[in-house]
Amino acid sequence: EMVRIEVADRGPGIPAAMADRIFDKFQQVDASDARAKQGSGLGLTIAKALVEQHRGTIGVNSEEGRGSVFW
């Protein structure tokens, strides 16, 4: 009845203070990195909307300096 998909990375991680806000529109953990890569801060907002339209949930477990696991 349920499937869980996880995507993991070994990037810089997400500060605990940002974890509740990263799925909000235009939120970026490090704006200087986003400017270099042409990011708008909408990718996770769009992912959340799509997942929730299918009655799912989306979230992240992250540790600064070790990476993140999005589920």
Side-chain angles (χ1 to χ4, degrees):
E1 292 183 21
M2 186 174 284
V3 174
R4 181 176 174 121
I5 298 171
E6 294 183 350
V7 177
D9 69 46
R10 292 189 178 106
I14 300 166
M18 287 291 298
D20 292 337
R21 300 191 323 238
I22 61 166
F23 294 98
D24 295 342
K25 287 182 183 177
F26 308 115
Q27 290 298 312
Q28 298 173 340
V29 174
D30 182 358
S32 63
D33 182 53
R35 278 193 288 273
K37 296 179 182 168
Q38 303 293 321
S40 64
L42 291 174
L44 291 174
T45 302
I46 294 167
K48 181 180 179 184
L50 290 169
V51 168
E52 290 179 347
Q53 285 178 1
H54 289 89
R55 296 190 211 148
T57 57
I58 190 169
V60 64
N61 298 328
S62 185
E63 185 177 340
E64 269 190 278
R66 297 194 52 125
S68 303
V69 177
F70 290 86
W71 48 266

